[in-house]
Amino acid sequence: MSSTSEADAESILRTVTPSLDPKRHKGQAGKIAVIGGCREYTGAPYFAAISALKIGADLSHVFCTKDAAPVIKSYSPELIVHPVLEESYSISQLSEEDQRTVQDKVLGEVDKWMERFDCLVIGPGLGRDPFLLECVSKIMLLAKKSNVPFVVDGDGLFLVTNSIDLVNSYPLAVLTPNVNEYKRLVQKVLNCEVDEQNAEDQLRSLAKQIGGVTILRKGKSDLISNGETVKSVSIYGSPRRCGGQGDILSGSVAVFLSWAQQLRSGPESPSETPAILGCIAASGLLRKAASLAFTKHKRSTLTSDIIECLGKSLEDICPAS
Amino acid sequence: MSSTSEADAESILRTVTPSLDPKRHKGQAGKIAVIGGCREYTGAPYFAAISALKIGADLSHVFCTKDAAPVIKSYSPELIVHPVLEESYSISQLSEEDQRTVQDKVLGEVDKWMERFDCLVIGPGLGRDPFLLECVSKIMLLAKKSNVPFVVDGDGLFLVTNSIDLVNSYPLAVLTPNVNEYKRLVQKVLNCEVDEQNAEDQLRSLAKQIGGVTILRKGKSDLISNGETVKSVSIYGSPRRCGGQGDILSGSVAVFLSWAQQLRSGPESPSETPAILGCIAASGLLRKAASLAFTKHKRSTLTSDIIECLGKSLEDICPAS
């Protein structure tokens, strides 16, 4: 027996998206930071960060390695890209003490910005370098200390699956696993295989077991749970499965979660948590944008084409004025 | 009692913008240089420099650090980008004497171009590196020696707020502070807090106290003063507050100020100074362009979208033929 219900994603998009007010100043519509981007991967953090801006965030930062920075910067002058992360190959010659100094420097560079961010996205294009991942696990601790929400995707999920304590019982953590990432998470945390017959119950158990974090399980329908409620989003998207769509999603969750947190202080506080609302809104918008991009570009649809449709899709659902 | 009056920005745009004459040659419609761009920031100097070209300047240079140059060059082949500035990390191993040699070299590289420029924009994406800022303060002295006007924004304002003598009594200096930058300037120079009830009088006092520099205080309405007159520009712009719009403004002020200086030698010399006219024209045009971009892109509007609308907006107000 399942208690899943299809979320009214469009209505939630309208509730969560703030009205545009000329009296507001830069930063008030959201400041997002993506932690990711290494020598090997540069597209993923760009997709996450630019999606946040295209939805309506005011500022979007990327914290990546020195090698990745010039490339990510060159994709768009709109992003603020900090070349601060380090991979093992650049520090392997150093003594243990000097390596610790490097790590402290990395953490200092991120922490001095931390309180200004409304939400982090941790993982797009992060790679799996051990030194880098150790730094990122400490960045998660810093975020928790400052009560900054974070969305974990991609290699961030690899890190978290192996060290579940990093997110355990942090109510402002959102995990956005795809099929394979979800499988590993279920195996590791619930010690069993994915049960498609009882997908909703299993997702609820998983989220509860990790202390009430919010999980968005990507699939034909997206399923979302925080260990209490389970919601699904099944709006038709696109049959194209080009890489990078998960990065749009993680960047979008970050923006909508930030906006939903601002609602909390308002008079019409919704019953669902900001994390749940953020996931529903992001899933709904991505599906609408993917569908619109597919009608234009068919088999040729790329992630950048979907990003170009985010604005129009949001405008169709929730006009700016 | 306030004597502020709303400026007729459109009429001033028409007065200031030179007619296009096939007999003129390259450079006569303006040569602008942006001093800014470091390892961390590359978008801001690009926005300022490309805006100058899009409005109608003939040549737009950027003087930035070695790390920033390839990235800024990659944004556009239209800019001339000089990788000449140095940050502490690249010279910290050097003796004091060698550091001085490096500084002299930086200043030489900038100074040999100085007399060709009609206006500088100092600050977009400059960062706050102490060695770099020391060089930039000396670049300001060189500009003053050559009577080259300059617009100070971003981290340039951080520098100037801490060393007000750099601009004091230089009538060709324009400061373009946002809410926070203005607050620090008022605290430092007037030793008090921002007084919204007497915003115009306070701005006039501030500009007078700094020896008659021109200040464009950005806000819902932009307020402009040189210690004598106070003008406002309130044309409706856009409710989007994406980062980078201040860079468009600083680049635009530089072009319009240059053009207004050419008027001085003409027969119909306007009563306001070139700096005041430049600020009014730039503020008015940015607001028109932001409004146009917003009608097209709504919440999704980014700074690049506004830059794309500069040409059309200027053409609407002041047709090229």
Side-chain angles (χ1 to χ4, degrees):
Chain A
M1 207 189 66
S2 163
S3 59
T4 314
S5 61
E6 176 68 13
D8 184 350
E10 296 202 11
S11 155
I12 286 172
L13 275 161
R14 280 186 285 269
T15 305
V16 164
T17 304
S19 58
L20 288 164
D21 181 343
K23 281 192 296 254
R24 302 185 109 201
H25 59 260
K26 185 172 77 178
Q28 289 188 301
K31 299 182 292 294
I32 305 300
V34 177
I35 315 288
C38 60
R39 192 156 56 157
E40 204 157 12
Y41 305 112
T42 52
Y46 162 74
F47 289 142
I50 199 77
S51 296
L53 286 180
K54 289 276 185 176
I55 289 169
D58 283 345
L59 291 165
S60 197
H61 293 243
V62 176
F63 291 80
C64 62
T65 69
K66 294 188 168 56
D67 299 306
V71 177
I72 300 173
K73 285 169 185 282
S74 76
Y75 294 146
S76 167
E78 313 277 353
L79 305 177
I80 299 165
V81 182
H82 307 264
V84 299
L85 303 181
E86 297 280 358
E87 290 183 81
S88 299
Y89 75 88
S90 70
I91 52 98
S92 57
Q93 313 286 348
L94 302 180
S95 70
E96 251 185 61
E97 203 192 318
D98 286 348
Q99 293 196 7
R100 224 171 300 121
T101 310
V102 171
Q103 193 184 81
D104 288 346
K105 202 172 154 241
V106 171
L107 294 174
E109 292 285 339
V110 178
D111 201 31
K112 73 181 183 198
W113 288 91
M114 189 64 81
E115 299 220 332
R116 308 191 211 180
F117 294 133
D118 297 302
C119 190
L120 307 183
V121 183
I122 300 177
L126 200 55
R128 296 190 177 181
D129 178 79
F131 184 82
L132 180 55
L133 290 187
E134 203 190 314
C135 281
V136 171
S137 62
K138 294 197 169 146
I139 291 172
M140 288 188 187
L141 300 181
L142 293 174
K144 279 154 64 172
K145 221 176 72 187
S146 299
N147 262 308
V148 174
F150 56 75
V151 182
V152 186
D153 193 42
D155 292 315
L157 287 169
F158 169 80
L159 174 64
V160 158
T161 304
N162 292 330
S163 317
I164 210 79
D165 276 353
L166 287 171
V167 297
N168 201 353
S169 300
Y170 186 51
L172 301 177
V174 178
L175 315 183
T176 53
N178 63 19
V179 174
N180 287 323
E181 291 155 351
Y182 187 71
K183 189 176 159 192
R184 281 196 295 268
L185 207 51
V186 167
Q187 288 170 338
K188 188 81 180 208
V189 175
L190 298 180
N191 244 311
C192 66
E193 294 303 317
V194 173
D195 177 3
E196 289 301 346
Q197 299 314 109
N198 296 293
E200 295 85 357
D201 289 341
Q202 190 176 44
L203 176 64
R204 187 191 286 109
S205 304
L206 180 65
K208 190 168 243 160
Q209 189 68 31
I210 313 179
V213 301
T214 298
I215 302 175
L216 191 171
R217 181 197 165 173
K218 295 179 275 194
K220 186 158 175 289
S221 292
D222 290 338
L223 284 179
I224 299 153
S225 180
N226 57 2
E228 303 290 330
T229 186
V230 184
K231 297 286 178 187
S232 68
V233 179
S234 314
I235 297 167
Y236 186 71
S238 145
R240 269 289 270 154
R241 292 291 172 266
C242 50
Q245 296 184 53
D247 306 311
I248 302 180
L249 185 75
S250 62
S252 309
V253 171
V255 179
F256 288 119
L257 188 164
S258 308
W259 287 349
Q261 276 208 312
Q262 296 181 357
L263 284 183
R264 288 220 129 174
S265 37
E268 295 161 36
S269 184
S271 58
E272 302 293 354
T273 64
I276 293 276
L277 295 171
C279 287
I280 293 169
S283 170
L285 181 65
L286 172 58
R287 283 161 179 266
K288 285 281 185 188
S291 167
L292 182 57
F294 187 76
T295 60
K296 287 190 194 174
H297 301 280
K298 302 294 179 183
R299 288 178 201 280
S300 186
T301 308
L302 301 187
T303 293
S304 304
D305 300 317
I306 303 174
I307 290 171
E308 278 312 301
C309 291
L310 288 170
K312 169 84 167 74
S313 302
L314 185 55
E315 185 64 18
D316 287 346
I317 295 166
C318 171
S321 50
Chain B
M1 207 188 67
S2 163
S3 58
T4 313
S5 62
E6 177 70 13
D8 185 349
E10 297 201 11
S11 154
I12 287 173
L13 275 161
R14 280 186 286 269
T15 305
V16 165
T17 304
S19 58
L20 288 164
D21 181 343
K23 282 191 296 253
R24 301 185 110 201
H25 60 261
K26 185 171 77 177
Q28 289 189 302
K31 299 183 292 297
I32 304 300
V34 177
I35 315 287
C38 62
R39 190 156 59 156
E40 205 158 11
Y41 304 110
T42 51
Y46 162 73
F47 288 142
I50 200 76
S51 297
L53 286 180
K54 290 275 185 178
I55 289 170
D58 283 345
L59 291 165
S60 195
H61 292 244
V62 176
F63 291 81
C64 61
T65 69
K66 294 190 169 54
D67 299 307
V71 176
I72 299 174
K73 287 170 186 280
S74 78
Y75 293 145
S76 167
E78 315 278 353
L79 305 177
I80 300 165
V81 182
H82 307 262
V84 299
L85 302 181
E86 298 280 357
E87 289 183 82
S88 299
Y89 75 89
S90 70
I91 52 96
S92 58
Q93 314 286 348
L94 303 180
S95 70
E96 250 184 63
E97 202 192 318
D98 287 348
Q99 293 195 9
R100 223 170 301 122
T101 310
V102 171
Q103 193 185 82
D104 289 345
K105 200 169 155 243
V106 171
L107 294 174
E109 292 285 339
V110 179
D111 201 31
K112 73 180 181 197
W113 288 91
M114 189 63 82
E115 298 220 332
R116 308 192 211 177
F117 294 132
D118 297 302
C119 190
L120 307 184
V121 183
I122 300 177
L126 200 55
R128 296 191 177 182
D129 180 79
F131 184 83
L132 180 54
L133 291 186
E134 203 190 315
C135 281
V136 171
S137 62
K138 294 199 168 143
I139 292 172
M140 288 187 187
L141 300 181
L142 294 174
K144 278 155 58 172
K145 220 175 70 187
S146 300
N147 261 309
V148 174
F150 56 76
V151 182
V152 186
D153 193 42
D155 291 317
L157 286 169
F158 169 80
L159 174 64
V160 158
T161 304
N162 293 330
S163 315
I164 210 79
D165 276 352
L166 288 171
V167 296
N168 201 352
S169 300
Y170 186 51
L172 301 177
V174 177
L175 315 184
T176 54
N178 63 19
V179 174
N180 288 321
E181 291 155 351
Y182 187 71
K183 190 176 157 192
R184 281 196 293 269
L185 207 51
V186 167
Q187 287 170 339
K188 189 80 179 210
V189 175
L190 297 181
N191 244 312
C192 66
E193 294 304 316
V194 173
D195 177 4
E196 289 301 345
Q197 301 314 108
N198 296 294
E200 294 85 358
D201 290 339
Q202 192 175 42
L203 177 64
R204 187 190 287 109
S205 303
L206 181 65
K208 188 167 245 160
Q209 187 69 33
I210 313 178
V213 300
T214 298
I215 302 175
L216 191 171
R217 181 197 165 172
K218 295 180 276 193
K220 189 162 174 289
S221 292
D222 291 337
L223 285 180
I224 299 152
S225 181
N226 57 2
E228 303 291 330
T229 184
V230 183
K231 296 286 178 186
S232 69
V233 179
S234 315
I235 297 167
Y236 187 71
S238 145
R240 265 292 265 157
R241 292 289 173 267
C242 49
Q245 297 184 53
D247 306 312
I248 302 180
L249 185 75
S250 62
S252 310
V253 171
V255 179
F256 288 119
L257 187 164
S258 309
W259 288 348
Q261 276 206 313
Q262 296 181 357
L263 285 183
R264 287 221 130 173
S265 36
E268 294 162 37
S269 183
S271 59
E272 301 293 352
T273 65
I276 292 277
L277 294 171
C279 287
I280 293 169
S283 170
L285 181 65
L286 172 57
R287 284 161 179 266
K288 284 282 183 187
S291 168
L292 182 57
F294 187 76
T295 60
K296 287 189 193 174
H297 301 281
K298 301 292 179 183
R299 289 176 199 282
S300 193
T301 309
L302 300 187
T303 294
S304 306
D305 301 317
I306 302 174
I307 290 172
E308 278 314 301
C309 291
L310 288 170
K312 169 86 166 74
S313 302
L314 186 53
E315 184 63 18
D316 287 347
I317 296 166
C318 171
S321 49

